[in-house]
């Protein structure tokens, strides 16, 4: 593959990387958005209209995480981070905790985290591993009834975009894994990296919406394709 081991890597992951750990995607035939209307559970308006339904949706997903383990793809990315001598940044759209469980540390959760809460009264963001309800109290300002899942909903601004764009601006390699290329701004990262001269690689099971933007496309399950790809990268490093 011929990659300078001190070059900069940015990796973007989506729901597809966690499928083989037992979690659902959003847009597949049996995905989450086929079962529940995203406007009801993933918008500020949906939360204002029916907070109980929204808490119920995320409480179930938060509980599911307790029995979910990272798979070989998550482990391979943690191995790559540990071995790579150049800059490395893993950006995930996933709200699960499987990357950190596998050992990834240079990690941004651009769409927030299931195990985190956001207080609508004081703006505190902090760890939250139990169920949340309309009776939950903010541990900082002590307001009751304003706690919400720390998830970036539709129409809201993803986290740490400045840091992500800075990394994309100097990336030599951009790899997108298990994402449909449907949701912006993440879907546009490939163009950003490409415009800055990066080589771009997609690893996905199905054809994504922006597959034509990538220099190289690897089709297949993440648990097989990601470890193979990391082996190739590290063999050259
Ligand atoms: P999607 O559900 O849109 O896409 C998942 C992709 O993973 C699809 O293209 C599948 O082909 C692929 N896939 C499925 N199984 C796979 C496997 N075993 N190995 C590799 N790829 C596989 O999920 P995202 O692109 O992550 O936002 O969705 C982006 C955002 O839309 C999510 O972060 C979420 C959602 O609305 C929020 O909730 C804020």
């Amino acid at each position: 593959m011929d990659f300078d081991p001190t070059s900069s890597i940015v990796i973007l992951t989506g729901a597809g990387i966690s499928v083989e750990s037992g979690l659902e995607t959003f847009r597949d035939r049996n995905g989450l958005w086929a079962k529940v209307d995203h406007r009801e559970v993933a918008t500020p308006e949906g939360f204002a209209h029916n907070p109980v339904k929204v808490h119920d949706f995320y409480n179930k997903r938060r509980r599911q995480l307790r029995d979910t383990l990272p798979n070989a793809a998550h482990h391979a990315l943690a191995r790559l981070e540990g071995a790579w001598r150049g800059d490395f940044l893993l950006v995930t759209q996933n709200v699960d905790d499987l990357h950190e469980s596998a050992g990834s540390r240079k990690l941004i959760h651009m769409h927030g985290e299931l195990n985190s809460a956001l207080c609508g009264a004081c703006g505190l963001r902090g760890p939250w591993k139990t169920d949340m309800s309309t009776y939950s109290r903010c541990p900082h300002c002590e307001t009751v009834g304003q706690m919400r899942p720390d998830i970036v909903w539709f129409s809201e601004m993803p986290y740490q975009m400045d840091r992500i764009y800075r990394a994309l601006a100097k990336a030599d390699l951009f790899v997108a894994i298990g994402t449909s290329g449907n949701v912006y701004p993440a879907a546009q990262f490939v163009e950003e990296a490409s415009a800055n001269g990066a080589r771009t690689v997609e690893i996905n099971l199905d054809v994504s919406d922006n597959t034509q933007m990538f220099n190289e496309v690897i089709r297949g399950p993440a648990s097989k394709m990601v470890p193979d790809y990391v082996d190739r990268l590290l063999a050259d490093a």
Side-chain angles (χ1 to χ4, degrees):
M1 213 174 319
D2 218 13
F3 246 100
D4 174 353
T6 61
S7 53
S8 298
I9 300 181
V10 177
I11 312 248
L12 172 70
T13 62
I17 197 168
S18 298
V19 164
E20 290 157 273
S21 292
L23 299 184
E24 293 156 302
T25 61
F26 294 93
R27 293 176 181 76
D28 289 316
R29 206 151 37 92
N30 297 316
L32 281 171
W33 295 158
K35 294 176 190 155
V36 56
D37 186 338
H38 75 271
R39 288 168 301 189
E40 292 180 7
V41 296
T43 63
E45 295 78 17
F47 185 58
H49 178 68
N50 192 346
V52 173
K53 178 169 187 156
V54 174
H55 282 310
D56 187 48
F57 177 73
Y58 292 99
N59 286 342
K60 281 192 187 123
R61 293 180 64 203
R62 195 180 300 107
R63 275 184 233 140
Q64 187 186 21
L65 282 192
R66 292 181 204 149
D67 306 318
T68 306
L69 294 172
N71 65 54
H74 300 99
H75 287 295
L77 294 182
R79 182 161 57 91
L80 178 61
E81 176 185 316
W84 199 252
R85 283 184 279 140
D87 288 339
F88 179 95
L89 181 64
L90 173 56
V91 181
T92 188
Q93 297 165 90
N94 298 342
V95 296
D96 65 51
D97 59 355
L98 299 180
H99 283 305
E100 44 272 61
S101 295
S104 289
R105 293 295 172 262
K106 295 175 183 171
L107 168 69
I108 291 177
H109 277 277
M110 66 177 288
H111 288 168
E113 296 172 64
L114 278 170
N115 285 330
S116 177
L118 168 64
C119 175
C122 74
L124 176 92
R125 296 175 63 205
W128 196 286
K129 295 207 166 183
T130 54
D131 281 2
M132 198 180 293
S133 78
T134 52
Y135 301 104
S136 293
R137 180 187 297 273
C138 174
H140 182 64
C141 71
E142 303 203 333
T143 303
V144 174
Q146 291 289 319
M147 297 307 283
R148 57 165 271 189
D150 187 12
I151 306 284
V152 176
W153 287 327
F154 289 95
S155 84
E156 296 182 325
M157 180 63 83
Y159 290 129
Q160 301 200 48
M161 292 307 295
D162 286 355
R163 206 176 135 205
I164 295 170
Y165 280 114
R166 274 202 306 276
L168 288 170
K170 58 179 187 163
D172 299 297
L173 174 66
F174 172 77
V175 186
I177 302 166
T179 177
S180 61
N182 184 284
V183 173
Y184 286 80
Q188 191 257 332
F189 290 171
V190 57
E191 288 166 64
E192 189 73 20
S194 209
N196 291 315
R199 175 169 178 75
T200 57
V201 179
E202 175 185 73
I203 303 177
N204 208 50
L205 195 58
D206 305 305
V207 178
S208 70
D209 290 0
N210 57 356
T211 196
Q212 76 288 346
M213 294 300 304
F214 290 86
N215 299 128
E216 181 182 352
V217 173
I218 300 170
R219 290 260 168 271
S223 71
K224 165 86 178 97
M225 300 305 164
V226 176
D228 287 356
Y229 185 74
V230 167
D231 286 346
R232 273 166 63 196
L233 271 179
L234 292 179
D236 290 339

